[in-house]
Amino acid sequence: MIRDNRPRNVRSGDFRQSLAQEFNTYLQRESLRFADEDTLRIDMHCHDHNSDTPDELWGRILGLPETWLKTGKLVKCLRRNGSDVLTVTNHNNARSCWKLQDQGYDVLVGAEFTCYFPEANLYLHVLTYGFSPEQEVLLNNKRQNVYDFLRYAAANDIPVVLPHPLYFYTRNEKINLELFEKLAVMFQRFEVLNGQRDLWQSTLTLNWVQGLTPEKIHHYARKHQLNPQDFGVDPARPKSLTGGSDDHMGIFAGQCGTRLLIPDLQQRLRTEPASQLALEAIRAGRTAPFGHVAENQKLNIALLDYFSQIATNIEDPGLLRILLHRGEASDKLACFALSNVLLELQKNKQSRKFFDFIHDALQGKKPNKMLRWKVSKKYRFCISYLEKIADSHAGTAEDFTQTVNQSIAALFTEINKVIITRVQESTLAEKLGEPGGFSTEALTRKFEVPSQVTAWLLGTPSKYTQVTDRCVSQLVDKLTFPVMIAAVLAGAALASTRALYQNRTFLNNFATHLGRNHHEHRALHLTDTLFDKNGVSNSLTGKLRQIQAHDLAIDMLVCHETAEPEPHLHVTRPLSAFTLPESGGQQLRIPDLLEIARIFYEGGYDRVICSTEGPMVAVALYLKFMFNIPCFFFMHTDWIEYIKCTTQATQHERDRVRRLLRLLYSQFDGIFVLNREHRAWLTGFEMELGSERVFLTAHHAPQVIAPIVPVRKSDLFYDANDDTPVLFIACRLSAEKGIMDLPDIMARARKSLPELKLVIAGSGPAEEELKRLLPDARFMGWIDKPTLAGLYAGLDLFVFPSRFDTFGNVLLEAFAHGMPAIAYDCKGPRDIIEHEVSGYLVSDPREMAAQIVAHYGWPDTRSAMRAAALARAAHYSAERIMAQYVEDLGLPAPSKNLEQRSVA
């Protein structure tokens, strides 16, 4: 059973539900237009193996056809799904139609010609019907200019249809919308139902075409100096709307199409071929689309079948072909890498057989019954899912589509569990437990790949080969099969959705131009931690509460073992979890990639935020490229400072990590930082991010919940009273937090304040060492919020010796309870503490100790500082900070009670 992890009050899927309702209402109306006895069904858009030269650049570089589907199989699929008339609309040729005619079939000759639109510098497809072999040659000659092509077709009474009008072959997202004014003048017929496109594009197309009045068409004709009659267009006649499956694999052909009205059909069929009657109806505009749109699900299935066939049919394209082919260097590099992966996949006998089984299952063929007993127990679940897919082939189109996508998602989950299990059983897992084997310092020093090709191809010794030996070589044999399977499943999902949304900017602009069907603006905020005992979790929890309180257009998603969904919070279960070395118990959870992609799609989100550099950062970037969306990163941690504080890594080794971070952060459209120093660092010469991509934000001060019972110092120390000076710190007890400076600070301060005491709240890997060095300090462990509030209210001064923190939530917590603070003058504290007003900024332990002593010598200042701390906390109001955050994300303005001022 699939778990519903949606937040209970999120408007999940409202956008898509509204599209489905609008488009289905249209299809229902169309289904009633013509009497069944006078209609022919035809799939006006389908392909077979003669679509052998793809329009996509990568396909041409790799020498791949668009499909290996035999014409006979396509015909069987069309007949099985109820097509009365046959046509095959291959790219730029009608070879399949001519061959079928030679075999005695009654066929409506058709093709999908790729035509160049000169002033727009793009290519569009034109479905064309009823031409002769001689005319096919001329059409191919004229398709280099769409104007010449359409004028020739109109002059020879060859009907044309503009398929998927919102999908073009161009790398220019800035498509001038005046292009559609010209298309309205140049085309009489438009495909509004394409089985491989999603509801958004289909509904936008439908509403645009239905809004083309005769007055608009005449206006566009005058504006662009075009004569509609030259293109066979009659402005006074309603546009003709059609449908087609756009099927390439013989899976969905005939499930979408067009109903054609032919009066006295049964009588005329006695003397005239159905193909000629169909051509007559298309010319006359007597068309009504039928079928259903299944979002990205059908295209996902089609591409999975395509990838499966590539895995068994690909041939080496040749290095020179790749290098010398037209295209950018990035395209050639990607194709080189992809061809190597696919050829390796083909070499692997297990992988090749598995993809054969997937292809067969999608065609309705079950695996051999004996196979279940031949397959390893670890992979028998694959057979079960393949059988389920094959069984669903005999059901309805909707059930088949749903079953396949659910089975593939479940298969992906189980395959990933196999991968994780094998990693855990390997010697690599043992290394995690070895002292220093995979410590932060070891990884920092050894994180590199040899630049010498023979070092990683032939094993030639290199100073960096330890990394590849440890991290790759031990596992490659065991993981080749499951990793390749998982990669293809995830790749098919990414490619299918990317194909639909590669022109998302244009679709947004088109919706704005149309004045309807705008994609809602909603963000999904991913995080690896939310319910853990650390500062980042506390900050994100506070942000979640604000999102919930003001019903902002943001939902969070966390991967957790036991948490339950809340309003504005999705929870997915981890595939696995393990404790990070040297982390003090911090868990790293492995999420299910495709489950999160499904949540993103169904939730109608159009941007993603990531808060942590764990597994969720990979998920965020996957979603970015999958959905072609803005992707933001919220920077909580200074990893360079962390490495500096916790390791002996050299500057050169730290620079290696910095370059890796630069590569990572450069993939995001925006980075949120918590202090001015980090903003300067990211936009400076070391990281080189554009200033327009870096946003300064802050965490908000916590809400103080009354009543607070201040702790009594005498309850903490037997020899203390109300006048005893007591310092307080609350944080994770680890070296990067600067807590190892505390013994030195206390020793120096006690020379002047011998009665000075220290209370420490928190836990972490350095706790035992700190207890040894500060035996008379009071260690409270990890405490609840009421107890923490009592300590803030009852003690004197918050001491914060961290140079690592990017902000310092605990400083705001202290201020909110009226406790002044002392910290080092560095990023984070420098932006929060007003020196000698709400606290102190110092340079080192010696100066911190001296300032603590001075603080207790100024009783009047201490009272004023408490008031200043409360005032400073009020400056960090949640309303103001969240309003700016929402604005920087490009989301709808929050409710009016959120202030619209920026962070100072």
Side-chain angles (χ1 to χ4, degrees), residues 831-888:
D831 286 358
I832 300 172
I833 297 174
E834 303 154 301
H835 183 54
E836 296 185 346
V837 178
S838 55
Y840 307 98
L841 294 170
V842 297
S843 59
D844 53 36
R846 180 191 59 78
E847 191 175 332
M848 185 171 285
Q851 191 65 70
I852 289 170
V853 172
H855 175 76
Y856 284 102
W858 304 328
D860 294 340
T861 301
R862 281 156 46 195
S863 177
M865 273 195 167
R866 282 189 172 273
L870 289 169
R872 187 61 174 164
H875 175 76
Y876 287 87
S877 70
E879 291 79 8
R880 179 169 59 84
I881 291 169
M882 290 301 292
Q884 184 64 54
Y885 180 61
V886 167
E887 181 181 327
D888 291 338

Side-chain angles (χ1 to χ4, degrees), residues 14 17 62 109 135 144 187 295 302 351 397 403 424 538 554 560 633 649 651 702 769 862 878:
D14 280 4
Q17 289 172 12
L62 294 174
V109 174
Q135 289 172 328
Q144 303 306 316
F187 284 90
E295 299 286 2
S351 301
T403 299
Q424 291 171 337
N538 289 339
I554 305 172
H560 198 273
F633 189 82
Q651 180 66 48
E769 177 66 10
R862 281 156 46 195

Side-chain angles (χ1 to χ4, degrees), residues 572-640:
T572 65
R573 299 302 180 218
L575 298 176
S576 184
F578 57 91
T579 302
L580 292 169
E582 304 177 351
S583 69
Q586 178 63 50
Q587 289 263 297
L588 190 68
R589 301 173 180 91
I590 307 302
D592 189 323
L593 179 66
L594 292 189
E595 181 184 7
I596 297 176
R598 176 188 61 79
I599 290 171
F600 186 94
Y601 192 87
E602 293 179 357
Y605 302 102
D606 73 333
R607 60 205 64 207
V608 66
I609 312 157
C610 184
S611 283
T612 42
E613 289 94 342
M616 283 298 183
V617 79
V619 176
L621 292 176
Y622 179 84
L623 295 178
K624 169 188 168 70
F625 292 109
M626 183 178 192
F627 293 95
N628 192 20
I629 52 166
C631 189
F632 300 86
F633 189 82
F634 200 120
M635 188 175 173
H636 287 278
T637 306
D638 184 344
W639 290 107
I640 302 301

Side-chain angles (χ1 to χ4, degrees), residues 162-388:
L162 180 63
H164 44 70
L166 301 185
Y167 184 81
F168 304 103
Y169 292 89
T170 178
R171 296 198 169 192
N172 177 21
E173 287 195 350
K174 297 180 180 179
I175 298 173
N176 192 326
L177 292 177
E178 288 189 348
L179 167 68
F180 287 85
E181 297 176 354
K182 297 178 181 179
L183 294 177
V185 178
M186 297 164 65
F187 284 90
Q188 184 67 41
R189 305 167 194 87
F190 295 86
E191 181 187 73
V192 296
L193 194 161
N194 182 294
Q196 301 298 318
R197 303 295 148 185
D198 76 333
L199 271 171
W200 189 26
Q201 294 187 42
S202 300
T203 309
L204 282 172
T205 301
L206 174 65
N207 287 322
W208 168 63
V209 176
Q210 289 187 329
L212 293 175
T213 63
E215 293 76 20
K216 283 185 179 180
I217 297 172
H218 282 300
H219 170 69
Y220 296 154
R222 290 191 299 270
K223 178 179 177 180
H224 299 290
Q225 299 181 349
L226 295 172
N227 184 354
Q229 282 72 35
D230 289 347
F231 307 101
V233 173
D234 180 359
R237 187 173 125 197
K239 297 294 187 183
S240 175
L241 307 183
T242 71
S245 68
D246 201 2
D247 181 80
H248 288 67
M249 301 298 144
I251 300 174
F252 301 109
Q255 293 181 4
C256 296
T258 306
R259 296 171 71 242
L260 306 174
L261 175 63
I262 295 95
D264 300 320
L265 173 63
Q266 301 307 317
Q267 181 68 28
R268 296 186 63 184
L269 281 174
R270 296 175 183 175
T271 58
E272 300 174 74
S275 60
Q276 288 302 311
L277 298 178
L279 184 61
E280 173 193 303
I282 293 170
R283 283 173 173 154
R286 300 193 299 268
T287 60
F290 72 85
H292 78 287
V293 180
E295 299 286 2
N296 68 334
Q297 297 170 338
K298 284 188 176 180
L299 188 56
N300 184 24
I301 294 171
L303 284 182
L304 177 61
D305 192 24
Y306 183 57
F307 286 179
S308 299
Q309 292 183 71
I310 289 176
T312 56
N313 290 292
I314 188 173
E315 297 179 357
D316 190 341
L319 182 59
L320 288 180
R321 175 190 175 91
I322 293 174
L323 292 177
L324 300 178
H325 203 285
R326 182 183 303 168
E328 302 291 335
S330 58
D331 293 312
K332 296 175 183 180
L333 183 62
C335 288
F336 173 74
L338 183 60
S339 65
N340 275 269
V341 170
L342 293 172
L343 289 168
E344 282 300 315
L345 200 154
Q346 189 183 62
K347 284 167 54 180
N348 186 287
K349 186 178 180 181
Q350 282 182 302
S351 301
R352 193 170 64 250
K353 283 188 175 181
F354 179 80
F355 287 116
D356 278 337
F357 293 144
I358 285 185
H359 173 65
D360 289 344
L362 291 173
Q363 301 292 331
K365 181 181 178 182
K366 286 186 179 182
N368 188 297
K369 289 185 178 180
M370 293 299 297
L371 183 64
R372 180 179 292 275
W373 308 110
K374 294 180 181 179
V375 171
S376 166
K377 288 184 179 180
K378 290 183 178 180
Y379 292 110
R380 284 183 186 170
F381 64 86
C382 296
I383 306 302
S384 299
Y385 288 120
L386 291 174
E387 289 175 342
K388 192 174 182 180

